[in-house]
Amino acid sequence: MSLRTIQDCLQSREHHQSLAIVICNAPLSGLEGLVKKIWTQCELVVCADGGSNRLYDSMKEDRNKYVPHVICGDLDSIRKEVVQFYKEKGSDVVQVDDQDTTDLTKCFNHITHLNNTGIVKVDNIVVMNAASWGRFDQIIGNINSLFLIAAPPILLSDDSLVTLLPPGQHHIPVNTGLEEGHCGLIPIAGAVQSVTTSGLKWNLNKDAMSFGTLISTSNLILPGAKEVTVETTGTLLWTMSHKLSNL
């Protein structure tokens, strides 16, 4: 998954894959415009517990227009007036009392349930404000959640995205006009025996990667490149800068 899916939604193109967005409990600063632009093109909008407060506070006079389909989590963060407002507007409130999973994982599990039961059809998930700088333990928890769903979603901040690349070959479109240029490949799940890339300023050629030896941060997408290809024997975290906040 890449910025191509988001671009298709923004430009109201007919796209064959449906999109869900999840709003986390972190500031939406820089992403409010994107949320508004992409809202009507989404199959499903889910707030992760206190993410409901963030949506409520950000939308202000537009609250009636931007009502999430689902609020999901252990509900220890959502304010009473917020849950009451969205309940009255038709949001489905799903409480999951499980302290071994994050609210984001709870949302992923619920989206998977809705998919498996045919209630919705979601091919891709974009998580708003999940990679924004804040509590580092929460960022790591959000990254861990990517490992717990079959098709890894995108985590967005106001200036970058994060997703997982499982073992195999990957072709990442980078010619949407939304890319900033900076990128990185990180062996987040442990040592990877071999990584080969194209489309980067500093490509890898069957290189081994691990923390304490080689990781690829502060890399750059080649100007004019249409795609970045990655062939990896292990799971990598892919991150790249974007211009979505300019919207």
Side-chain angles (χ1 to χ4, degrees):
M1 185 183 173
S2 69
L3 289 168
R4 179 72 55 79
T5 302
I6 299 174
Q7 183 195 49
D8 287 349
C9 285
L10 289 172
Q11 297 182 353
S12 299
R13 295 178 183 171
E14 293 205 13
H15 48 285
H16 300 292
Q17 295 194 327
S18 56
L19 183 68
I21 60 173
V22 179
I23 298 173
C24 287
N25 189 11
L28 270 172
S29 54
L31 292 175
E32 295 93 341
L34 174 62
V35 170
K36 289 181 178 181
K37 283 178 176 290
I38 208 170
W39 191 282
T40 58
Q41 301 294 328
C42 291
E43 182 72 22
L44 185 68
V45 179
V46 180
C47 284
D49 196 358
S52 310
N53 302 333
R54 305 290 185 171
L55 180 67
Y56 181 89
D57 293 341
S58 295
M59 293 305 155
K60 298 178 181 178
E61 66 274 8
D62 289 331
R63 287 171 188 152
N64 291 320
K65 294 170 58 178
Y66 300 101
V67 177
H69 299 100
V70 179
I71 297 169
C72 183
D74 58 12
L75 307 187
D76 65 344
S77 299
I78 188 171
R79 303 196 305 266
K80 289 182 179 179
E81 74 271 17
V82 175
V83 70
Q84 185 63 33
F85 176 83
Y86 285 131
K87 273 186 174 180
E88 291 177 355
K89 297 297 180 184
S91 296
D92 185 17
V93 179
V94 179
Q95 183 168 1
V96 182
D97 295 318
D98 176 8
Q99 295 307 305
D100 291 332
T101 58
T102 66
D103 286 326
L104 182 56
T105 298
K106 292 176 175 69
C107 290
F108 288 167
N109 290 342
H110 189 65
I111 293 170
T112 299
H113 166 72
L114 295 177
N115 250 344
N116 290 343
T117 55
I119 296 174
V120 298
K121 181 184 181 298
V122 170
D123 298 304
N124 294 308
I125 303 171
V126 173
V127 186
M128 302 291 176
N129 57 335
S132 301
W133 187 252
R135 279 178 49 191
F136 186 67
D137 61 323
Q138 290 182 335
I139 295 172
I140 293 298
N142 290 339
I143 292 172
N144 184 63
S145 294
L146 296 179
F147 287 87
L148 304 176
I149 187 168
I154 280 180
L155 305 182
L156 275 186
S157 73
D158 59 347
D159 60 4
S160 62
L161 67 82
V162 171
T163 193
L164 294 182
L165 303 180
Q169 282 194 333
H170 303 274
H171 298 266
I172 306 167
V174 292
N175 62 340
T176 68
L178 299 173
E179 295 81 14
E180 187 69 36
H182 293 94
C183 63
L185 286 164
I186 303 168
I188 193 72
V192 178
Q193 292 182 349
S194 177
V195 181
T196 299
T197 66
S198 68
L200 302 179
K201 183 173 182 179
W202 294 284
N203 279 307
L204 300 159
N205 184 17
K206 298 182 179 179
D207 289 293
M209 300 182 74
S210 66
F211 282 98
T213 59
L214 174 68
I215 65 173
S216 178
T217 56
S218 301
N219 211 327
L220 291 168
I221 298 168
L222 282 176
K226 294 183 178 180
E227 68 175 14
V228 169
T229 67
V230 180
E231 184 173 0
T232 175
T233 59
T235 299
L236 295 172
L237 182 148
W238 163 255
T239 181
M240 62 184 293
S241 300
H242 64 71
K243 303 175 184 178
L244 290 169
S245 59
N246 292 342
L247 298 169

